[in-house]
Amino acid sequence: MTATRVRGKQSDRKRQRSPRPRQCRADAEVKTKEVACSKRKRRWTVNDVHNSVLKVFVWHVQPNYKQPWCSEAQTSSTSSAWPIRLNGALRVVTNAHSVEHAALVQVKRHRHEQKYVAQVLCIGTDCDLALLEVPHADFWKGLEPLEILPGLPKLQDSVSVVGYPTGGESLSVTQGVVSRIDLVEPLRRTRTRQEVKRCPTHQAQPWQLLLLTLGCTVTISNLFISAIVPATYAQTGVTLLAVQIDAAINSGNSGGPVVDQKGNCVGVAFQNLDGDEESAENIGYIIPTEIVQHFLEDFLKNGHFTGFGSAGIHTQALESPVLREALGMAKNQSGIRVKAVETAGPANGIILPDDVLLAVDGFKIGNDGEVAMPWGRVAFNYLLNRHYPGEHCEMQVLRREGSPKKITLQVCLERNRDLVCADAGGPDATAGSMLPRFLVTGGLVFVPLTMPFMEAAFGENFAEKRPAEMPAELLHLLENGHRRCADHEPLILTQVLASELTVGYSELEYEVLESFNGIQVRNLRHLAELLDGSKDTYLRFGFVSKEIVVLDRLKATQALASILAQNMIPAARSQL
């Protein structure tokens, strides 16, 4: 019985093996290809990234900040973008300057013909990033989001820049390696979206227009990353971490991903250094993923961009041994001297002038003001920028109160905002607001002093060219001005509208307002409140230049409607 059962089992095995069909070579090749494809999906290459790089088409309506009741003629531009998965939702990342003042945003996939309308969810002007939503299911079919690689690229890492630069319609890829970590001088404000039609302050050169007309083919050139640096972001002038490459980021590359050999995103292309800069050729910059993640997490936490942390202090390097000794520092101590604390800054009353800043968040500060990071040395402000506004930062200082002693302090950081701010929306608006504002009273036109106004009035390179018509008071506020209070913004008398009421004042322009009827003016809304509440016979405006303008209050009120109608101004005030 036992032997029979054994033979039965053996025969069952034979029956199980015998019907198996013999695999033909063609079937084996097909299965091999399927396995290879599945492996490629699990481990992306640069070729796989191509299908996930998008082209962005934008129509812009830029305000005229010099005459803020008007707008410039519509312009259009193209740039690049890429998809991500954010808390389960599919979104698109590009540059802020690519979609600024957007009237219409459309995106198109690689090798597809249809354009889809996109909506701007969030703009981070400080870091030049924007988040878009494309509410069309067909757009997302088969589109794979890119993975963001945490941290910074390392030396000798191979990377590729993918996007749609000027010179053609098809995708462009440039490759290189990480080669150097260093510091860089501040950048000029240089746009890298491809302008199809420019407004008067962004006129294209004749040869650029010719290339666009001819539709030249894409040129692919080699490049490599040359530095990881704290760079001044051209969009707002805020100094944040950036990665330097040895080739210019061409117009249209803006917002495109920079990927490693595995197809992970390590940065975003965003700006370049002007070619006419002395000893500067083929220098471009990308936004590292550390900044991208800060922006995305900020949006998830707050629903809008709030910015990067700042303490509002100004410091001096302590490389002089005599100065260190005079401040009571021991030989084994290093740090920097606090030379000033902004009155409206978060550190006011906590950190004092002549304190020696020894460490931030546990990182020891060198006498040159830099801290050691795994990838190199960088200015200590980098540690503050890693925080969000409203977060606390630990600072260790050496303070002389009799004998020098170490003190550990907690500072609640705020967003980095200069007195002459890149935000046009005012102190109460959300970060990055570009709403133009104005107030007209008795023919006097007042606007806030902002970077957009300076560019509209004196050109984008006003800080370098220093045009003769730009008053010294404006330069002083731009370079050395500080807020007197949290809601302080300087106001400018841009022009005086000619009328019988303003005889004798028509030559005044670009005057910095200091007071109204003897009261120091904080901002545009405050001026409106003072005007509305005035019962005096005269309206007296005092300026920093010591010029004064005096108007009869009743006559100014009666003449305002006719002055507005004569100059085709729709209202005496914008939203304040």
Side-chain angles (χ1 to χ4, degrees), residues 439 523-533 573 576:
L439 183 151
N523 52 53
L524 194 63
R525 180 177 296 172
H526 185 214
L527 176 60
E529 293 172 354
L530 293 175
L531 284 166
D532 293 342
R573 300 175 185 179
L576 303 177

Side-chain angles (χ1 to χ4, degrees), residues 163-305:
Y164 295 90
T166 183
E169 297 297 325
S170 60
L171 196 69
S172 170
V173 181
T174 52
Q175 298 178 336
V177 298
V178 178
S179 65
R180 181 169 58 92
I181 299 174
D182 202 355
L183 298 176
V184 70
E185 293 297 321
L187 301 181
R188 293 181 182 180
R189 181 181 173 90
T190 305
R191 300 170 184 265
T192 55
R193 72 187 186 207
Q194 180 179 347
E195 298 281 355
V196 178
K197 183 179 180 182
R198 296 179 182 265
C199 59
T201 57
H202 298 84
Q203 291 293 338
Q205 298 297 321
W207 65 270
Q208 293 174 318
L209 295 175
L210 179 60
L211 286 177
L212 290 174
T213 304
L214 295 177
C216 297
T217 57
V218 176
T219 301
I220 299 179
S221 59
N222 291 329
L223 59 90
F224 64 91
I225 294 179
S226 59
I228 298 175
V229 299
T232 301
Y233 280 45
Q235 185 75 357
T236 60
V238 176
T239 300
L240 299 173
L241 201 66
V243 178
Q244 181 183 328
I245 59 177
D246 80 330
I249 302 294
N250 294 315
S251 296
N253 264 131
S254 287
V258 180
V259 297
D260 62 12
Q261 289 182 313
K262 296 181 181 179
N264 297 313
C265 180
V266 299
V268 182
F270 79 116
Q271 73 181 18
N272 61 12
L273 199 65
D274 281 357
D276 58 352
E277 184 78 13
E278 183 180 358
S279 302
E281 296 181 0
N282 297 330
I283 295 179
Y285 295 86
I286 65 174
I287 304 168
T289 54
E290 180 175 309
I291 302 295
V292 178
Q293 288 177 319
H294 183 108
F295 166 73
L296 295 176
E297 291 173 8
D298 195 1
F299 172 74
L300 290 175
K301 288 179 181 179
N302 304 293
H304 62 274
F305 177 71

Side-chain angles (χ1 to χ4, degrees), residues 445-478:
V445 180
F446 292 97
V447 302
L449 178 60
T450 62
M451 291 296 290
F453 166 78
M454 295 289 285
E455 292 174 357
F458 308 112
E460 287 193 350
N461 293 328
F462 66 87
E464 298 173 8
K465 295 184 177 179
R466 307 288 177 101
E469 63 270 20
M470 183 167 60
E473 292 86 358
L474 300 190
L475 275 178
H476 174 75
L477 292 175
L478 179 68

Side-chain angles (χ1 to χ4, degrees), residues 7 23 79 91 207 239 318 410 453 500 506 519 526 533:
R7 284 196 298 270
Q23 190 178 44
S79 54
R91 299 289 184 257
W207 65 270
T239 300
L318 292 179
Q410 294 288 331
F453 166 78
E500 184 178 350
S506 58
I519 301 174
H526 185 214

